[in-house]
């Protein structure tokens, strides 16, 4: 075993001697995970320091209904700060004492001080109570930061307001139609309507439809709410691709060692083939794990949360890394020269990654592509990460990906070790 | 004396590019005795490296067996390899590591560690005379220095047996001398057994206790240098250069008849060859010409003694001898006589 570690240590020493390794395992993957995460809608998350989303409000109605509507918006997303309603003493709205009017709101929106503008028309409450259709004005800033989930919160609130209003209106109308149920006076009638409305609102709050809505976290728009946003996809995806970038070069390195005869020299020494290959593979495995750790740590910084089962997460990382290491060993036995190895490594990384859902979630591709994609080990490990990160999964929910990856690992190792030749 | 290496009917089959199978090593039998320098001499492609690869556990033989100190290299490779140091033909070092890092790494493969490792590395660096450059990367070394590190790695664990595969290839004469001295010192001072391969007969002749001549994967002659030369007779070869002068057959007859010990005399006339050695050539269209002087080759029992008489007869015949060379019998001659080809082509 000491020999194995010694071989691995020396390989790592040689790998890290080349300073450009830092570019390859830190700088580029970190930038890429950020850019890809951003493009995938991660922009939706504000930078971690400002965990509030400023949304301007022009309330031309100032009714109970509009107040109720704003409550619903706040309830739908706690990070939304409605300005000027929710302004704090230290002026979180950055209004500097100015009153928000149409012009100011306009300029705040275009300068992206506020991410969105909600405009409640006059007569909003009355129209709702009358059961008439009413339009809420919603505009978001052009910037990529304009998060789709502010709109979502607004829509959700509107739906609730609309829904309770409809229930109340319908209830009242039904009451009106039933002749023997006569209201004593208008106040009595209004009280009845109000009772129905609040009844409806409380039903709505526990309504299965509403639960359904929360569960729709599965779709990428609402995923954002769980922290990390698009980064929750890009971080594991890019990390997985970069793990391949870190490990596949082992094939070229082994071929180089064959050409420079150091491998043959080792073979004439009192070390077994298992020790030699074990050491070489251990070095790359360690590099792969380091690569994962670097990008996942960057993810933490971006606010990505990795679910609640760190052991399952670690197992996924380790198994995938092992699988790629074994695949590399198997590849080494069929490749002839360094250039070929470099080409194949690049080709494999750039096909296995997107095919397996490292670039975009596999739920957005057609079924057949998803099926084909699962030929790639990447698809399985990504399934595992998605289960942990988005669905609050645990060891039990990632057991299938783990077993598939382990199976592949064994197959690749057997091929690799059997076929491997020193010269 | 007992044998430390025993090789029996060793053979290796390879496939050529065109898929045709051939034996690079074909039924080699060898016994290498403790404490001797045994050389495998053969031209490029004779199968020296392939033989070494098989008896060092690097390559599986197609058939046959080899043991080192009684341990089969196939069935008990680790025990066999512990006795063995290998200095490959290639510079088998990590170019981006320093000389010392290379030595330390390979030393650990022989289970050396701690203070013992440090001492051994120091001793080896001293031995290969690179103590002052030990912290430089190998890639910054000259060819000769790399060779020395390459040799040093093989000596780290003070092996009883050392394989050296053409360690002088690409080395200038001064460094070559040094390496040859090293080999002899290892035998004399450390009682190491050395298996040495080369395609250069001079060095083999200088250092070897015994020699095996290998050609096309077969050992075609084996014994001490003296034995081998004795086998082909001990005649000297005298070569007279005569330029473009014509040499009558009668003169050659007189050499044989009148000078004691002369067994044959032959004449080759002056030849002009083109760049690629072909004749005939169109001189005007050829940029470089090789002119091979006309030569008379005389084989004689004791060449130096016959020389004055031969020169006198040539003089009388009006022949102007430009130069004379007396070649004592050597391994080159042995190879030539056994294969009809020169060792170096
Ligand atoms: N892996 C291989 N596959 C196919 N042919 C090979 C292989 N290795 C060696 N050969 C061939 O086997 C023959 C013997 O090669 P080997 O390297 O043993 O010769 P050598 O005596 O060491 O020559 P040199 O003096 O040039 O080093 C050559 O014809 C060579 O081309
Ligand atoms: Mg050779």
């Amino acid at each position: 075993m000491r020999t194995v570690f010694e071989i691995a240590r020396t390989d790592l020493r040689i790998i890290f001697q080349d300073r450009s390794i830092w570019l390859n395992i830190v700088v580029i993957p970190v930038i890429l995970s950020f850019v890809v995460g951003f493009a995938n809608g991660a922009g939706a998350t504000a930078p971690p320091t400002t965990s509030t989303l400023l949304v301007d409000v022009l309330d031309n109605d100032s009714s109970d209904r509009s107040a109720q509507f704003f409550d619903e918006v706040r309830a739908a997303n706690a990070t939304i700060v409605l300005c000027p309603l929710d302004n704090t003493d230290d002026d979180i709205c950055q209004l500097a004492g100015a009153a928000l009017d149409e012009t100011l709101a306009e300029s705040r929106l275009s300068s992206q001080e506020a991410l969105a503008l909600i405009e409640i028309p006059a007569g909003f409450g009355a129209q709702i109570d009358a059961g008439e259709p009413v339009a809420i004005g919603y505009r978001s800033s052009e910037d990529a930061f304009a998060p789709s989930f502010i709109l979502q919160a607004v829509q959700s609130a509107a739906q609730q307001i609309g829904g309770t209003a409809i229930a109340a209106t319908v209830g009242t109308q039904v009451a009106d139609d039933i002749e023997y149920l006569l209201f004593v006076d208008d106040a009595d009638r209004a009280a009845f309507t109000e009772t129905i409305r609040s009844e409806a609102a409380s039903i709505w709050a526990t309504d299965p439809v509403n639960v359904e809505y929360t569960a729709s976290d599965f779709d990428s728009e609402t995923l954002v709410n769980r922290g990390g946003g698009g980064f929750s996809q890009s971080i594991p995806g890019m990390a997985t691709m970069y793990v391949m970038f870190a490990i596949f070069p082992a094939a070229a390195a082994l071929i180089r060692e064959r050409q420079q005869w150091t491998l043959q020299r080792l073979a004439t020494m009192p070390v077994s083939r298992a020790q030699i290959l074990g050491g070489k593979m251990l070095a790359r495995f360690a590099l792969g794990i380091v690569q994962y750790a670097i990008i996942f740590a960057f993810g933490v910084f971006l606010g990505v949360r990795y679910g609640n089962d760190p052991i399952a997460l670690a197992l996924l990382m380790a198994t995938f890394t092992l699988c790629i290491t074994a695949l590399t060993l198997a590849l080494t036995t069929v490749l002839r020269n360094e250039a070929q190895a470099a080409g194949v490594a690049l080709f494999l990384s750039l096909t296995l990654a997107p095919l397996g859902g490292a670039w975009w979630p596999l739920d957005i591709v057609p079924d057949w592509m998803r099926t084909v994609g699962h030929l790639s080990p990447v698809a399985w490990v990504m399934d595992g990460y998605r289960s942990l990160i988005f669905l609050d999964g645990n060891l039990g929910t990632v057991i299938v990906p783990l077993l598939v990856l382990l199976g592949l690992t064994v197959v690749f190792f057997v091929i690799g070790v059997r076929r491997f030749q020193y010269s | 004396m007992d044998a430390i290496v025993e090789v029996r009917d060793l053979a290796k089959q390879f496939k050529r590019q065109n898929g045709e199978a051939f034996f690079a090593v074909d039924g080699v039998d060898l016994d290498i005795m403790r404490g001797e320098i045994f050389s495998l001499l053969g031209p490029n492609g004779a199968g020296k490296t392939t033989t070494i690869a098989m008896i060092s556990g690097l390559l599986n033989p197609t058939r046959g067996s080899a043991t080192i100190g009684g341990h089969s290299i196939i069935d008990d490779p680790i025990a066999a390899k512990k006795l063995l140091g290998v200095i490959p033909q290639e510079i088998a070092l990590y170019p981006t590591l320093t000389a010392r890092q290379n030595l330390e790494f390979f030393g650990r493969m022989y289970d050396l560690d701690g203070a013992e490792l440090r001492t051994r590395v120091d001793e080896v660096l001293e031995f290969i005379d690179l103590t002052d450059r030990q912290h430089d990367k190998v890639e910054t070394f000259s060819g000769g220095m790399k060779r020395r590190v390459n040799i040093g790695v093989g000596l780290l664990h003070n092996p009883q047996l050392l394989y050296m595969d053409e360690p002088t290839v690409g080395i200038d004469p001064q460094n070559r001398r040094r390496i040859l001295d090293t080999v002899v010192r290892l035998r004399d001072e450390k009682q190491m057994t050395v298996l040495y391969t080369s395609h250069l007969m001079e060095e083999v002749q200088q250092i070897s206790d015994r020699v095996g001549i290998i050609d096309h994967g077969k050992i075609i002659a084996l014994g001490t240098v003296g034995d081998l030369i004795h086998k082909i007779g001990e005649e000297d070869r005298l070569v007279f250069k005569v330029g473009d002068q014509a040499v009558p057959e009668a003169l050659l007859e007189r050499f044989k008849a009148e000078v004691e010990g002369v067994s044959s005399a032959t004449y080759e006339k002056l030849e002009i060859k083109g760049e690629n050695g072909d004749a005939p050539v169109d001189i005007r269209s050829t940029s470089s010409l090789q002119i091979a002087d006309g030569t008379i080759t005389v084989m004689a029992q004791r060449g130096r003694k016959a020389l004055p008489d031969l020169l006198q007869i040539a003089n009388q015949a009006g022949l102007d001898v430009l130069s004379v060379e007396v070649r004592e019998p050597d391994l080159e001659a042995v190879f030539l006589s056994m294969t009809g080809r020169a060792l170096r082509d």
Side-chain angles (χ1 to χ4, degrees), chain A residues 242-265:
Chain A
Y242 267 85
V243 164
M244 292 193 285
F245 279 146
I247 297 177
F248 281 144
L254 265 175
I255 290 169
R256 187 174 329 124
E257 278 218 48
R258 224 183 245 158
Q259 278 158 3
Q260 77 190 13
W261 258 72
T262 40
L263 199 61
Q264 289 92 322
R265 171 163 240 160

Side-chain angles (χ1 to χ4, degrees), chain A residues 1 18 25 59 93 95 98 116 124 146 148 156 163 179 235 245 249 264 267 273 280 282 297 300 340 384 396 407 416:
Chain A
M1 211 54 205
D18 187 351
I25 70 168
D59 186 357
C93 285
L95 281 167
F124 174 76
S148 55
S156 151
E179 284 171 22
I235 288 288
F245 279 146
Q264 289 92 322
R273 188 182 155 102
K280 301 275 163 209
L282 178 62
V300 170
Q340 211 181 45

Side-chain angles (χ1 to χ4, degrees), chain B residues 43-50 52 89-90 165-166 169 197 199:
Chain B
N44 293 135
K48 304 181 292 292
T49 299
T50 307
I52 294 229
Q89 184 169 1
E90 317 287 326
D165 194 4
E166 308 215 29
V169 164
T197 83
H199 63 277

Side-chain angles (χ1 to χ4, degrees), chain A residues 105-364:
Chain A
E106 198 79 41
S107 82
R108 277 164 63 86
L109 197 58
S110 62
S111 69
Q112 290 162 25
E113 274 171 274
L115 296 177
L117 172 64
I118 301 172
E119 206 170 344
I120 306 290
F124 174 76
Q127 273 170 296
I128 284 193
D129 289 346
E132 289 168 19
V134 56
I136 299 169
Y138 175 85
R139 286 157 71 195
S140 64
S141 109
E142 293 291 301
D143 174 61
F145 263 109
S148 55
F149 63 86
I150 294 183
L151 177 60
Q152 215 146 34
V154 171
Q155 280 170 338
S156 151
Q159 232 167 42
Q160 291 212 29
I161 283 282
T164 51
I166 288 162
T169 311
V170 170
T172 313
Q173 274 166 8
V174 169
D176 277 344
D177 287 349
I178 300 170
E179 284 171 22
Y180 53 85
L181 212 164
L182 289 173
F183 296 111
V184 180
D185 52 20
D186 270 4
D188 189 16
R189 188 175 177 275
F192 178 77
T193 310
E194 197 50 49
T195 310
I196 291 183
R197 190 191 326 282
S198 65
E199 205 62 31
S202 72
I203 291 169
W204 189 282
T206 56
D207 195 307
V209 179
N210 200 21
V211 174
E212 188 78 3
Y213 178 71
T214 314
S216 73
D217 264 356
F218 291 73
D219 85 52
S220 60
E221 298 267 287
T222 28
L223 285 180
V224 164
N225 286 327
R226 311 199 63 177
F231 295 131
S232 301
Q233 157 69 24
S234 82
I235 288 288
M238 289 300 112
T240 297
M241 181 171 76
Y242 267 85
V243 164
M244 292 193 285
F245 279 146
I247 297 177
F248 281 144
L254 265 175
I255 290 169
R256 187 174 329 124
E257 278 218 48
R258 224 183 245 158
Q259 278 158 3
Q260 77 190 13
W261 258 72
T262 40
L263 199 61
Q264 289 92 322
R265 171 163 240 160
L266 276 174
T268 68
M269 296 184 166
V271 277
S272 69
R273 188 182 155 102
Q275 284 172 312
I276 296 175
L277 292 182
K280 301 275 163 209
M281 293 299 112
L282 178 62
R284 287 293 166 166
F285 175 78
L287 188 66
I289 293 292
V290 167
Q291 179 68 88
Y292 253 144
I294 288 172
I295 304 182
F296 274 51
F298 180 62
V300 170
F301 169 75
L302 290 179
V304 177
R305 271 174 260 132
Y306 297 104
N308 296 309
D309 195 339
I311 293 180
L313 184 75
L315 279 175
L316 275 176
M317 293 161 78
T319 317
F320 177 76
T321 309
L322 200 62
C323 180
I324 294 303
T325 310
L327 173 58
T328 309
L329 179 62
L331 280 178
T332 311
T333 66
V334 291
L335 297 170
R336 305 210 173 281
N337 56 53
E338 269 191 73
Q340 211 181 45
V344 168
L346 195 64
F347 172 77
L348 273 184
S349 313
L350 294 184
T351 48
L352 293 183
L355 202 64
W359 290 3
W360 46 74
L362 278 192
D363 358 36
I364 66 167

Side-chain angles (χ1 to χ4, degrees), chain B residues 103 120-129 152-153 155-156:
Chain B
L103 290 168
R120 276 308 295 155
V121 169
D122 287 340
E123 283 171 11
V124 166
L125 281 166
E126 192 70 33
F127 190 81
I128 58 177
D129 202 9
V153 171
L155 304 175
L156 277 166

